[in-house]
């Protein structure tokens, strides 16, 4: 992958004028809005813009807006429930003590900016980068092993706090088990009913199948279809209880200061399901970057985010013994494969890279997933 990835087709100058007009309506007076900018590593799904704003009674607010992508930007996901993201961030902060950014406003009406969006406070900190991967270079790679362990344990502690938080049925009515609100309230069991049934994992996998069909149905990827079959053949006898999961639980979605989390970002994949969904995603995403690093002959961080260490820490914090981890790690690899193959197709659309001759090569970690399926 090259370093530059096109993620937006929107003009920032025009967007700034529309944002100022919308904020004036929200704050009840004139608003001064800075030039908008995008982060150096803008997300691959929702669009993120930075700005500062001042209005009577608030001298300077440092803000981040998250917008659903424009249709012509070839979105990664079929729908973006920004209202659910907004509410989950608020709940994670208020009920679980997670340092999610403070959620300021949600605008469901697409008219002001051309799409629904929400605004949150901006935090400062260090984020382990995806490009170039933190296993290649940078502050985390250069840190002493003891400081990396502080970061690892503090990040696992986030999952423990989120999963153990006393969310109510009403709290999580914003979410279906798949992390996307159904169009009618009676289409799926409620959160409380799903929790009692332990059905979050089945709903989650069914949603991933539907997502795969949307993203790749016209051009199937045999390796991913094999992986879906593997899941059915190795389905856990007891998937375990359902909790609120972060969804995109990885260190690249956390800001750190002094190796401790100060902001937990990107909640668009939040869902109801087993705890192991988050644990396996966190472990696998590091493995993905570590495998890339070793493939070019660099050492990376082989002693960081090891599965046994992560699970041992999590068990000590929660009393829950992670189960079915081989299943969940393979599922994490499958989920990542579906997403990254969609990202590749978008890059092909924008002329940033060619389409491979073998569709299985759309899966960047093809070798890793093949070995998982053969084990």
């Amino acid at each position: 992958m090259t370093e530059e990835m096109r993620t937006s087709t929107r003009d920032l100058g025009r967007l700034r004028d529309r944002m100022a007009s919308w904020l004036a309506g929200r704050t009840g007076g004139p608003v001064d809005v800075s030039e908008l900018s995008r982060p150096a590593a803008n997300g691959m799904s929702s669009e993120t813009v930075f700005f500062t704003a001042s209005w009577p009674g608030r001298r300077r607010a440092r803000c981040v807006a998250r917008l659903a992508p424009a249709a012509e930007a070839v979105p990664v996901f079929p729908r973006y429930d920004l209202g659910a993201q907004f509410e989950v961030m608020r709940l994670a902060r208020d009920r679980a003590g997670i340092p999610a950014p403070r959620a300021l406003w949600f605008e469901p009406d697409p008219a002001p900016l051309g799409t629904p969006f929400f605004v949150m406070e901006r935090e400062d900190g260090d984020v382990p980068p995806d490009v170039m991967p933190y296993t290649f270079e940078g502050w985390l790679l250069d840190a002493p092993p003891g400081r990396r362990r502080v970061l690892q344990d503090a990040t696992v502690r986030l999952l423990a706090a989120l999963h153990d938080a006393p969310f109510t049925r009403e709290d999580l009515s914003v979410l279906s088990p798949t992390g996307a609100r159904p169009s009618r309230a009676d289409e799926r069991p409620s959160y409380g009913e799903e929790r009692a049934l332990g059905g979050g994992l089945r709903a989650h996998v069914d949603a991933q199948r539907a997502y795969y069909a949307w993203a790749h149905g016209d051009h199937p990827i045999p390796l991913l279809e094999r992986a879906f079959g593997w899941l059915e053949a190795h389905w856990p006898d007891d998937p375990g209880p359902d909790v609120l999961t972060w969804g995109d639980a990885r260190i690249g979605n956390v800001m750190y200061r002094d190796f401790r989390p100060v902001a937990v970002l990107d909640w668009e994949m939040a869902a109801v399901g087993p705890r192991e969904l988050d644990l396996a995603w966190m472990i696998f995403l590091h493995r993905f970057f570590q495998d890339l690093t070793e493939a070019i002959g660099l050492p990376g961080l082989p002693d960081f985010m090891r599965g046994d260490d992560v699970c041992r820490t999590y068990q000590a914090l929660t009393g829950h013994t992670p189960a079915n981890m081989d299943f969940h790690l393979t599922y994490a690899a499958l989920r990542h494969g579906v997403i990254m193959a969609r990202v590749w197709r978008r890059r092909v659309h924008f002329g940033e890279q060619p389409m491979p001759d073998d569709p299985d090569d759309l899966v960047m970690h093809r070798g890793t997933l093949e070995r998982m399926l053969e084990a």
Side-chain angles (χ1 to χ4, degrees), residues 208-221:
Q208 286 298 306
R209 282 185 176 275
Y211 171 46
Y212 167 80
W214 172 83
H216 308 293
D218 293 339
H219 304 281
I221 302 172

Side-chain angles (χ1 to χ4, degrees), residues 199-263:
L201 180 61
R202 170 50 64 191
H204 203 283
V205 172
D206 287 349
Q208 286 298 306
R209 282 185 176 275
Y211 171 46
Y212 167 80
W214 172 83
H216 308 293
D218 293 339
H219 304 281
I221 302 172
L223 176 58
L224 297 181
E225 298 194 350
R226 282 176 51 209
F228 276 115
W230 186 98
L231 293 182
E232 297 303 325
H234 295 81
W235 197 265
D237 293 332
D238 179 9
D242 294 329
V243 298
L244 173 63
T245 65
W246 174 8
D248 203 357
R250 61 191 186 91
I251 63 171
N253 283 334
V254 183
M255 284 185 173
Y256 299 91
R257 287 200 295 268
D258 193 28
F259 297 88
R260 298 181 186 278
V262 294

Side-chain angles (χ1 to χ4, degrees), residues 149 153 156-157 160 164 275 279 308-322:
R149 186 56 188 252
D153 289 349
V156 176
R157 195 172 294 115
D164 277 352
R275 298 165 181 255
L279 285 166
D308 288 347
D309 289 341
V310 169
C311 290
R312 191 178 303 114
T313 300
Y314 185 86
Q315 181 177 358
L317 291 167
T318 64
H320 174 84
T321 301

Side-chain angles (χ1 to χ4, degrees), residues 48-125:
T48 302
V49 294
F50 295 157
F51 63 95
T52 60
S54 301
W55 59 89
R58 185 69 181 265
R59 183 171 181 179
R60 184 172 181 267
R62 302 172 68 249
C63 300
V64 180
R66 296 297 299 272
L67 296 77
E72 63 269 20
V74 191
V76 171
F77 298 117
R79 64 189 299 267
Y80 289 81
D81 193 338
L82 295 172
Q85 291 181 51
F86 184 87
E87 186 64 14
V88 168
M89 284 198 308
R90 187 190 65 79
L91 287 169
R93 184 183 180 94
D94 295 347
R95 299 294 178 87
I98 303 297
R102 190 179 302 278
L104 298 177
W105 299 289
F106 167 59
E107 178 52 75
D109 185 353
L113 298 189
T115 184
F117 66 96
F118 64 81
V119 179
M120 56 188 170
E121 288 186 347
R122 182 177 175 183
E123 293 285 350
D124 291 314

Side-chain angles (χ1 to χ4, degrees), residues 152-200:
Q152 175 179 309
D153 289 349
T155 310
V156 176
R157 195 172 294 115
L158 293 173
L159 299 187
L162 181 68
H163 297 166
D164 277 352
F167 295 115
T168 67
R169 175 175 173 173
E170 183 178 0
D171 287 337
L172 296 183
S173 61
V174 69
L175 286 176
S176 79
T178 64
R181 262 184 285 187
S183 57
R184 295 201 331 269
D186 61 349
E187 285 182 359
R188 290 192 183 278
S190 69
Y191 166 74
E193 292 165 342
E194 282 286 354
R195 188 183 182 105
L197 293 170

